[in-house]
PDB file of all heavy atoms in Angstrom:
ATOM      1  N   GLU C  90      15.682  30.287  -1.650  1.00  0.00           N
ATOM      2  CA  GLU C  90      15.738  31.078  -0.421  1.00  0.00           C
ATOM      3  C   GLU C  90      17.252  31.059   0.096  1.00  0.00           C
ATOM      4  O   GLU C  90      17.717  32.116   0.499  1.00  0.00           O
ATOM      5  CB  GLU C  90      14.855  30.519   0.735  1.00  0.00           C
ATOM      6  CG  GLU C  90      14.877  31.279   1.922  1.00  0.00           C
ATOM      7  CD  GLU C  90      13.928  30.700   3.047  1.00  0.00           C
ATOM      8  OE1 GLU C  90      12.929  30.168   2.698  1.00  0.00           O
ATOM      9  OE2 GLU C  90      14.197  30.890   4.163  1.00  0.00           O
ATOM     10  N   ALA C  91      17.989  30.007   0.054  1.00  0.00           N
ATOM     11  CA  ALA C  91      19.356  29.899   0.574  1.00  0.00           C
ATOM     12  C   ALA C  91      20.227  30.810  -0.325  1.00  0.00           C
ATOM     13  O   ALA C  91      21.059  31.496   0.204  1.00  0.00           O
ATOM     14  CB  ALA C  91      19.776  28.486   0.538  1.00  0.00           C
ATOM     15  N   ILE C  92      20.017  30.817  -1.594  1.00  0.00           N
ATOM     16  CA  ILE C  92      20.987  31.550  -2.514  1.00  0.00           C
ATOM     17  C   ILE C  92      20.626  33.010  -2.318  1.00  0.00           C
ATOM     18  O   ILE C  92      21.588  33.872  -2.304  1.00  0.00           O
ATOM     19  CB  ILE C  92      20.722  31.154  -3.964  1.00  0.00           C
ATOM     20  CG1 ILE C  92      21.299  29.728  -4.157  1.00  0.00           C
ATOM     21  CG2 ILE C  92      21.439  32.099  -4.838  1.00  0.00           C
ATOM     22  CD1 ILE C  92      21.046  29.105  -5.520  1.00  0.00           C
ATOM     23  N   VAL C  93      19.349  33.387  -2.131  1.00  0.00           N
ATOM     24  CA  VAL C  93      19.007  34.761  -1.843  1.00  0.00           C
ATOM     25  C   VAL C  93      19.771  35.247  -0.567  1.00  0.00           C
ATOM     26  O   VAL C  93      20.254  36.317  -0.496  1.00  0.00           O
ATOM     27  CB  VAL C  93      17.471  35.003  -1.806  1.00  0.00           C
ATOM     28  CG1 VAL C  93      17.173  36.291  -1.114  1.00  0.00           C
ATOM     29  CG2 VAL C  93      16.869  34.797  -3.139  1.00  0.00           C
ATOM     30  N   ARG C  94      19.718  34.369   0.414  1.00  0.00           N
ATOM     31  CA  ARG C  94      20.322  34.737   1.732  1.00  0.00           C
ATOM     32  C   ARG C  94      21.824  34.872   1.603  1.00  0.00           C
ATOM     33  O   ARG C  94      22.481  35.639   2.263  1.00  0.00           O
ATOM     34  CB  ARG C  94      19.944  33.841   2.830  1.00  0.00           C
ATOM     35  CG  ARG C  94      18.545  33.906   3.317  1.00  0.00           C
ATOM     36  CD  ARG C  94      18.250  32.888   4.294  1.00  0.00           C
ATOM     37  NE  ARG C  94      16.852  32.934   4.669  1.00  0.00           N
ATOM     38  CZ  ARG C  94      16.440  33.101   5.900  1.00  0.00           C
ATOM     39  NH1 ARG C  94      17.269  33.254   6.900  1.00  0.00           N
ATOM     40  NH2 ARG C  94      15.114  33.120   6.228  1.00  0.00           N
ATOM     41  N   LEU C  95      22.458  34.058   0.803  1.00  0.00           N
ATOM     42  CA  LEU C  95      23.907  33.941   0.656  1.00  0.00           C
ATOM     43  C   LEU C  95      24.487  34.894  -0.317  1.00  0.00           C
ATOM     44  O   LEU C  95      25.626  35.220  -0.317  1.00  0.00           O
ATOM     45  CB  LEU C  95      24.373  32.525   0.220  1.00  0.00           C
ATOM     46  CG  LEU C  95      24.204  31.444   1.389  1.00  0.00           C
ATOM     47  CD1 LEU C  95      24.494  30.063   0.888  1.00  0.00           C
ATOM     48  CD2 LEU C  95      25.032  31.778   2.578  1.00  0.00           C
ATOM     49  N   THR C  96      23.639  35.439  -1.311  1.00  0.00           N
ATOM     50  CA  THR C  96      24.111  36.333  -2.255  1.00  0.00           C
ATOM     51  C   THR C  96      24.863  37.440  -1.774  1.00  0.00           C
ATOM     52  O   THR C  96      26.020  37.758  -2.289  1.00  0.00           O
ATOM     53  CB  THR C  96      22.992  36.692  -3.174  1.00  0.00           C
ATOM     54  OG1 THR C  96      22.557  35.599  -3.920  1.00  0.00           O
ATOM     55  CG2 THR C  96      23.374  37.780  -4.179  1.00  0.00           C
ATOM     56  N   PRO C  97      24.361  38.189  -0.707  1.00  0.00           N
ATOM     57  CA  PRO C  97      25.254  39.375  -0.252  1.00  0.00           C
ATOM     58  C   PRO C  97      26.596  38.919   0.182  1.00  0.00           C
ATOM     59  O   PRO C  97      27.597  39.669   0.100  1.00  0.00           O
ATOM     60  CB  PRO C  97      24.419  39.928   0.903  1.00  0.00           C
ATOM     61  CG  PRO C  97      23.037  39.405   0.603  1.00  0.00           C
ATOM     62  CD  PRO C  97      23.150  38.174  -0.091  1.00  0.00           C
ATOM     63  N   HIS C  98      26.721  37.762   0.883  1.00  0.00           N
ATOM     64  CA  HIS C  98      27.994  37.173   1.338  1.00  0.00           C
ATOM     65  C   HIS C  98      28.915  36.833   0.168  1.00  0.00           C
ATOM     66  O   HIS C  98      30.084  37.099   0.317  1.00  0.00           O
ATOM     67  CB  HIS C  98      27.791  36.080   2.351  1.00  0.00           C
ATOM     68  CG  HIS C  98      26.787  36.371   3.407  1.00  0.00           C
ATOM     69  ND1 HIS C  98      27.211  37.264   4.473  1.00  0.00           N
ATOM     70  CD2 HIS C  98      25.527  36.090   3.670  1.00  0.00           C
ATOM     71  CE1 HIS C  98      26.244  37.399   5.291  1.00  0.00           C
ATOM     72  NE2 HIS C  98      25.187  36.633   4.817  1.00  0.00           N
ATOM     73  N   PHE C  99      28.335  36.160  -0.874  1.00  0.00           N
ATOM     74  CA  PHE C  99      29.194  35.939  -2.073  1.00  0.00           C
ATOM     75  C   PHE C  99      29.579  37.236  -2.674  1.00  0.00           C
ATOM     76  O   PHE C  99      30.836  37.234  -3.132  1.00  0.00           O
ATOM     77  CB  PHE C  99      28.296  35.177  -3.100  1.00  0.00           C
ATOM     78  CG  PHE C  99      27.872  33.765  -2.662  1.00  0.00           C
ATOM     79  CD1 PHE C  99      26.666  33.325  -3.192  1.00  0.00           C
ATOM     80  CD2 PHE C  99      28.715  32.943  -1.995  1.00  0.00           C
ATOM     81  CE1 PHE C  99      26.305  32.035  -2.845  1.00  0.00           C
ATOM     82  CE2 PHE C  99      28.286  31.655  -1.618  1.00  0.00           C
ATOM     83  CZ  PHE C  99      27.120  31.208  -2.073  1.00  0.00           C
ATOM     84  N   GLN C 100      28.751  38.203  -2.717  1.00  0.00           N
ATOM     85  CA  GLN C 100      29.152  39.451  -3.361  1.00  0.00           C
ATOM     86  C   GLN C 100      30.274  40.107  -2.553  1.00  0.00           C
ATOM     87  O   GLN C 100      31.295  40.554  -3.162  1.00  0.00           O
ATOM     88  CB  GLN C 100      27.945  40.469  -3.389  1.00  0.00           C
ATOM     89  CG  GLN C 100      26.823  40.174  -4.293  1.00  0.00           C
ATOM     90  CD  GLN C 100      25.686  40.925  -4.216  1.00  0.00           C
ATOM     91  OE1 GLN C 100      25.161  41.154  -3.112  1.00  0.00           O
ATOM     92  NE2 GLN C 100      25.163  41.434  -5.241  1.00  0.00           N
ATOM     93  N   ARG C 101      30.157  40.137  -1.256  1.00  0.00           N
ATOM     94  CA  ARG C 101      31.225  40.718  -0.436  1.00  0.00           C
ATOM     95  C   ARG C 101      32.552  39.940  -0.589  1.00  0.00           C
ATOM     96  O   ARG C 101      33.592  40.595  -0.682  1.00  0.00           O
ATOM     97  CB  ARG C 101      30.724  40.730   1.019  1.00  0.00           C
ATOM     98  CG  ARG C 101      31.584  41.570   2.013  1.00  0.00           C
ATOM     99  CD  ARG C 101      30.977  41.801   3.340  1.00  0.00           C
ATOM    100  NE  ARG C 101      30.007  40.822   3.874  1.00  0.00           N
ATOM    101  CZ  ARG C 101      28.719  40.961   3.703  1.00  0.00           C
ATOM    102  NH1 ARG C 101      28.201  42.007   3.224  1.00  0.00           N
ATOM    103  NH2 ARG C 101      27.929  39.982   4.288  1.00  0.00           N
ATOM    104  N   ALA C 102      32.499  38.691  -0.556  1.00  0.00           N
ATOM    105  CA  ALA C 102      33.692  37.812  -0.753  1.00  0.00           C
ATOM    106  C   ALA C 102      34.296  38.172  -2.078  1.00  0.00           C
ATOM    107  O   ALA C 102      35.529  38.196  -2.219  1.00  0.00           O
ATOM    108  CB  ALA C 102      33.373  36.359  -0.552  1.00  0.00           C
ATOM    109  N   ALA C 103      33.502  38.211  -3.198  1.00  0.00           N
ATOM    110  CA  ALA C 103      34.099  38.448  -4.423  1.00  0.00           C
ATOM    111  C   ALA C 103      34.714  39.833  -4.540  1.00  0.00           C
ATOM    112  O   ALA C 103      35.810  40.011  -5.147  1.00  0.00           O
ATOM    113  CB  ALA C 103      32.948  38.305  -5.577  1.00  0.00           C
ATOM    114  N   ARG C 104      34.117  40.856  -3.997  1.00  0.00           N
ATOM    115  CA  ARG C 104      34.630  42.236  -3.954  1.00  0.00           C
ATOM    116  C   ARG C 104      35.963  42.246  -3.182  1.00  0.00           C
ATOM    117  O   ARG C 104      36.863  42.914  -3.618  1.00  0.00           O
ATOM    118  CB  ARG C 104      33.664  43.243  -3.613  1.00  0.00           C
ATOM    119  CG  ARG C 104      32.522  43.319  -4.638  1.00  0.00           C
ATOM    120  CD  ARG C 104      31.305  44.192  -4.099  1.00  0.00           C
ATOM    121  NE  ARG C 104      30.318  44.202  -5.257  1.00  0.00           N
ATOM    122  CZ  ARG C 104      29.096  44.415  -4.899  1.00  0.00           C
ATOM    123  NH1 ARG C 104      28.689  44.774  -3.756  1.00  0.00           N
ATOM    124  NH2 ARG C 104      28.257  44.424  -5.916  1.00  0.00           N
ATOM    125  N   ILE C 105      35.962  41.591  -1.993  1.00  0.00           N
ATOM    126  CA  ILE C 105      37.143  41.628  -1.202  1.00  0.00           C
ATOM    127  C   ILE C 105      38.249  40.885  -1.937  1.00  0.00           C
ATOM    128  O   ILE C 105      39.443  41.416  -2.012  1.00  0.00           O
ATOM    129  CB  ILE C 105      36.850  40.952   0.136  1.00  0.00           C
ATOM    130  CG1 ILE C 105      36.004  41.916   1.003  1.00  0.00           C
ATOM    131  CG2 ILE C 105      38.183  40.669   0.909  1.00  0.00           C
ATOM    132  CD1 ILE C 105      35.395  41.249   2.259  1.00  0.00           C
ATOM    133  N   SER C 106      37.960  39.810  -2.560  1.00  0.00           N
ATOM    134  CA  SER C 106      38.955  39.059  -3.310  1.00  0.00           C
ATOM    135  C   SER C 106      39.541  39.908  -4.518  1.00  0.00           C
ATOM    136  O   SER C 106      40.711  39.888  -4.733  1.00  0.00           O
ATOM    137  CB  SER C 106      38.386  37.744  -3.822  1.00  0.00           C
ATOM    138  OG  SER C 106      39.329  37.105  -4.653  1.00  0.00           O
ATOM    139  N   ARG C 107      38.665  40.561  -5.140  1.00  0.00           N
ATOM    140  CA  ARG C 107      39.107  41.446  -6.241  1.00  0.00           C
ATOM    141  C   ARG C 107      40.022  42.575  -5.678  1.00  0.00           C
ATOM    142  O   ARG C 107      41.040  42.893  -6.295  1.00  0.00           O
ATOM    143  CB  ARG C 107      37.939  42.039  -7.093  1.00  0.00           C
ATOM    144  CG  ARG C 107      38.389  42.822  -8.251  1.00  0.00           C
ATOM    145  CD  ARG C 107      37.275  43.484  -9.034  1.00  0.00           C
ATOM    146  NE  ARG C 107      36.550  44.418  -8.327  1.00  0.00           N
ATOM    147  CZ  ARG C 107      35.239  44.321  -7.841  1.00  0.00           C
ATOM    148  NH1 ARG C 107      34.562  43.225  -8.198  1.00  0.00           N
ATOM    149  NH2 ARG C 107      34.642  45.224  -7.152  1.00  0.00           N
ATOM    150  N   ARG C 108      39.657  43.221  -4.640  1.00  0.00           N
ATOM    151  CA  ARG C 108      40.467  44.291  -4.043  1.00  0.00           C
ATOM    152  C   ARG C 108      41.816  43.736  -3.549  1.00  0.00           C
ATOM    153  O   ARG C 108      42.766  44.452  -3.719  1.00  0.00           O
ATOM    154  CB  ARG C 108      39.700  44.961  -2.923  1.00  0.00           C
ATOM    155  CG  ARG C 108      38.601  45.793  -3.356  1.00  0.00           C
ATOM    156  CD  ARG C 108      37.836  46.534  -2.289  1.00  0.00           C
ATOM    157  NE  ARG C 108      36.667  47.194  -2.683  1.00  0.00           N
ATOM    158  CZ  ARG C 108      35.407  47.028  -2.245  1.00  0.00           C
ATOM    159  NH1 ARG C 108      35.271  46.294  -1.130  1.00  0.00           N
ATOM    160  NH2 ARG C 108      34.484  47.718  -2.751  1.00  0.00           N
ATOM    161  N   ILE C 109      41.819  42.548  -2.989  1.00  0.00           N
ATOM    162  CA  ILE C 109      43.120  42.038  -2.612  1.00  0.00           C
ATOM    163  C   ILE C 109      43.967  41.730  -3.788  1.00  0.00           C
ATOM    164  O   ILE C 109      45.161  42.091  -3.829  1.00  0.00           O
ATOM    165  CB  ILE C 109      42.867  40.704  -1.755  1.00  0.00           C
ATOM    166  CG1 ILE C 109      42.264  41.087  -0.375  1.00  0.00           C
ATOM    167  CG2 ILE C 109      44.207  39.858  -1.567  1.00  0.00           C
ATOM    168  CD1 ILE C 109      41.810  39.865   0.360  1.00  0.00           C
ATOM    169  N   GLY C 110      43.403  41.164  -4.849  1.00  0.00           N
ATOM    170  CA  GLY C 110      44.208  40.957  -6.074  1.00  0.00           C
ATOM    171  C   GLY C 110      44.693  42.244  -6.633  1.00  0.00           C
ATOM    172  O   GLY C 110      45.830  42.356  -7.085  1.00  0.00           O
ATOM    173  N   GLU C 111      43.869  43.319  -6.672  1.00  0.00           N
ATOM    174  CA  GLU C 111      44.357  44.567  -7.185  1.00  0.00           C
ATOM    175  C   GLU C 111      45.450  45.171  -6.344  1.00  0.00           C
ATOM    176  O   GLU C 111      46.414  45.742  -6.841  1.00  0.00           O
ATOM    177  CB  GLU C 111      43.158  45.648  -7.247  1.00  0.00           C
ATOM    178  CG  GLU C 111      42.088  45.213  -8.341  1.00  0.00           C
ATOM    179  CD  GLU C 111      40.874  46.037  -8.291  1.00  0.00           C
ATOM    180  OE1 GLU C 111      40.621  46.754  -7.232  1.00  0.00           O
ATOM    181  OE2 GLU C 111      40.101  45.912  -9.204  1.00  0.00           O
ATOM    182  N   ALA C 112      45.343  45.041  -5.003  1.00  0.00           N
ATOM    183  CA  ALA C 112      46.351  45.596  -4.131  1.00  0.00           C
ATOM    184  C   ALA C 112      47.655  44.836  -4.282  1.00  0.00           C
ATOM    185  O   ALA C 112      48.766  45.351  -4.268  1.00  0.00           O
ATOM    186  CB  ALA C 112      45.923  45.401  -2.600  1.00  0.00           C
ATOM    187  N   ASP C 113      47.557  43.403  -4.459  1.00  0.00           N
ATOM    188  CA  ASP C 113      48.731  42.567  -4.803  1.00  0.00           C
ATOM    189  C   ASP C 113      49.461  43.049  -5.994  1.00  0.00           C
ATOM    190  O   ASP C 113      50.672  43.179  -6.101  1.00  0.00           O
ATOM    191  CB  ASP C 113      48.439  41.147  -4.915  1.00  0.00           C
ATOM    192  CG  ASP C 113      48.097  40.475  -3.498  1.00  0.00           C
ATOM    193  OD1 ASP C 113      48.477  41.032  -2.579  1.00  0.00           O
ATOM    194  OD2 ASP C 113      47.531  39.363  -3.593  1.00  0.00           O
ATOM    195  N   LEU C 114      48.700  43.263  -7.087  1.00  0.00           N
ATOM    196  CA  LEU C 114      49.253  43.906  -8.292  1.00  0.00           C
ATOM    197  C   LEU C 114      49.944  45.206  -8.139  1.00  0.00           C
ATOM    198  O   LEU C 114      51.062  45.441  -8.632  1.00  0.00           O
ATOM    199  CB  LEU C 114      48.169  44.012  -9.412  1.00  0.00           C
ATOM    200  CG  LEU C 114      47.664  42.635 -10.002  1.00  0.00           C
ATOM    201  CD1 LEU C 114      46.493  42.919 -10.966  1.00  0.00           C
ATOM    202  CD2 LEU C 114      48.822  42.015 -10.735  1.00  0.00           C
ATOM    203  N   ARG C 115      49.317  46.128  -7.344  1.00  0.00           N
ATOM    204  CA  ARG C 115      49.980  47.461  -7.042  1.00  0.00           C
ATOM    205  C   ARG C 115      51.216  47.194  -6.339  1.00  0.00           C
ATOM    206  O   ARG C 115      52.257  47.838  -6.574  1.00  0.00           O
ATOM    207  CB  ARG C 115      48.967  48.284  -6.352  1.00  0.00           C
ATOM    208  CG  ARG C 115      47.927  48.901  -7.238  1.00  0.00           C
ATOM    209  CD  ARG C 115      47.126  50.004  -6.616  1.00  0.00           C
ATOM    210  NE  ARG C 115      46.465  49.587  -5.380  1.00  0.00           N
ATOM    211  CZ  ARG C 115      45.259  49.102  -5.408  1.00  0.00           C
ATOM    212  NH1 ARG C 115      44.499  48.930  -6.481  1.00  0.00           N
ATOM    213  NH2 ARG C 115      44.694  48.678  -4.194  1.00  0.00           N
ATOM    214  N   ALA C 116      51.271  46.338  -5.314  1.00  0.00           N
ATOM    215  CA  ALA C 116      52.417  46.036  -4.485  1.00  0.00           C
ATOM    216  C   ALA C 116      53.554  45.489  -5.345  1.00  0.00           C
ATOM    217  O   ALA C 116      54.702  45.966  -5.185  1.00  0.00           O
ATOM    218  CB  ALA C 116      52.092  45.137  -3.347  1.00  0.00           C
ATOM    219  N   VAL C 117      53.148  44.570  -6.185  1.00  0.00           N
ATOM    220  CA  VAL C 117      54.224  43.987  -7.100  1.00  0.00           C
ATOM    221  C   VAL C 117      54.771  45.043  -8.023  1.00  0.00           C
ATOM    222  O   VAL C 117      56.075  45.098  -8.214  1.00  0.00           O
ATOM    223  CB  VAL C 117      53.640  42.802  -7.934  1.00  0.00           C
ATOM    224  CG1 VAL C 117      54.561  42.436  -9.042  1.00  0.00           C
ATOM    225  CG2 VAL C 117      53.429  41.638  -7.013  1.00  0.00           C
ATOM    226  N   ALA C 118      53.942  45.890  -8.522  1.00  0.00           N
ATOM    227  CA  ALA C 118      54.440  46.993  -9.437  1.00  0.00           C
ATOM    228  C   ALA C 118      55.382  48.008  -8.705  1.00  0.00           C
ATOM    229  O   ALA C 118      56.316  48.443  -9.190  1.00  0.00           O
ATOM    230  CB  ALA C 118      53.208  47.608 -10.094  1.00  0.00           C
ATOM    231  N   ALA C 119      54.886  48.311  -7.493  1.00  0.00           N
ATOM    232  CA  ALA C 119      55.689  49.294  -6.698  1.00  0.00           C
ATOM    233  C   ALA C 119      57.029  48.643  -6.248  1.00  0.00           C
ATOM    234  O   ALA C 119      58.008  49.310  -6.381  1.00  0.00           O
ATOM    235  CB  ALA C 119      54.895  49.600  -5.410  1.00  0.00           C
TER     236      ALA C 119
END
Side-chain angles (χ1 to χ4, degrees):
E90 183 179 330
I92 292 173
V93 166
R94 288 178 187 236
L95 290 172
T96 291
H98 304 288
F99 292 146
Q100 289 172 313
R101 191 169 26 262
R104 290 173 181 158
I105 289 169
S106 177
R107 185 180 63 247
R108 288 183 187 128
I109 289 171
E111 290 168 352
D113 284 346
L114 286 174
R115 285 191 299 274
V117 167

